[in-house]
Amino acid sequence: MRLTNSPDGYGLVHWALHWVTAVLIVWLFRLGLTMVELPLSPQMFEAYALHKSLGLTVLALVLARLAWRRLNGVPALPEGMGRLERLVATAVHHGIYVLLLVIPLSGWLYSGATASPANWFGFFTVPDLIGANETLAKVLRAVHDIAGKLLMLCLALHVLGALKHHFISRDAVLKRMLLPRRS
């Protein structure tokens, strides 16, 4: 397997970062929806702690992925794509990256604003970026929730676009992310 990206495909590193992040996002979204319904209990605290740990992990993975993209580039969009389709694809990808930064950062800030520090899987406590602030906590929670919903919309568009490329355009866009590029 090729580790780095090439002009026509993604390497193992980018592929792994993509799919691990994708799995964690689905897990985080599901956990985020269910944990807010839990009664005050040890299970609720465990769910929130797991959500914070996974969110911090996604933040680290996204920063690694952005660095990897910068160093390796990414395959070009297919030549047959129209101007509007290219614009939408670029906007959706940029939106996903922005939201994958905004969501964990707003969650991390929210933890500080609620005086509930994040602890990464019990290994270490992440320093609060801000102090307790009830008013700011409400704003940050709203940002976190709205950004999460926007991410789900962007991801739905991303998946629909990939399926469109595979079944309608019949190009290699989906295939190049399903399996990493061989040497």
Side-chain angles (χ1 to χ4, degrees):
M1 299 272 155
R2 181 184 178 111
L3 290 178
T4 59
N5 298 338
S6 68
D8 61 339
Y10 293 98
L12 181 62
V13 172
H14 197 110
W15 175 85
L17 289 169
H18 176 274
W19 288 109
V20 170
T21 303
V23 168
L24 290 177
I25 290 166
V26 170
W27 189 2
L28 274 162
F29 192 71
R30 175 82 171 113
L31 184 58
L33 290 175
T34 57
M35 71 186 194
V36 297
E37 301 296 325
L38 293 173
L40 190 60
S41 63
Q43 291 79 18
M44 184 200 73
F45 288 106
E46 288 171 13
Y48 273 85
L50 178 60
H51 187 80
K52 291 176 185 185
S53 293
L54 293 173
L56 290 167
T57 303
V58 166
L59 179 60
L61 290 171
V62 170
L63 291 172
R65 188 166 168 193
L66 287 169
W68 190 257
R69 282 177 64 99
R70 181 101 171 125
L71 293 171
N72 285 273
V74 292
L77 294 172
E79 290 183 24
M81 287 178 67
R83 186 169 183 252
L84 179 62
E85 189 177 6
R86 285 177 178 279
L87 181 67
V88 170
T90 301
V92 167
H93 275 102
H94 288 159
I96 289 169
Y97 278 111
V98 167
L99 292 166
L100 287 176
L101 293 171
V102 167
I103 294 166
L105 286 172
S106 63
W108 187 359
L109 289 166
Y110 177 69
S111 287
T114 58
S116 175
N119 186 300
W120 192 73
F121 295 110
F123 291 109
F124 60 88
T125 299
V126 180
D128 288 335
L129 299 175
I130 59 173
N133 183 320
E134 191 175 325
T135 303
L136 190 54
K138 289 176 185 175
V139 171
L140 290 165
R141 180 172 177 152
V143 167
H144 192 72
D145 291 348
I146 292 166
K149 290 175 176 86
L150 287 173
L151 178 61
M152 289 303 113
L153 174 63
C154 286
L155 292 176
L157 292 171
H158 181 66
V159 169
L160 288 173
L163 293 173
K164 179 259 179 205
H165 279 283
H166 188 73
F167 292 109
I168 297 172
S169 300
R170 298 199 181 273
D171 58 32
V173 168
L174 179 62
K175 288 180 186 174
R176 67 187 186 190
M177 190 48 86
L178 287 178
L179 293 172
R181 189 81 182 142
R182 296 207 178 267
S183 299

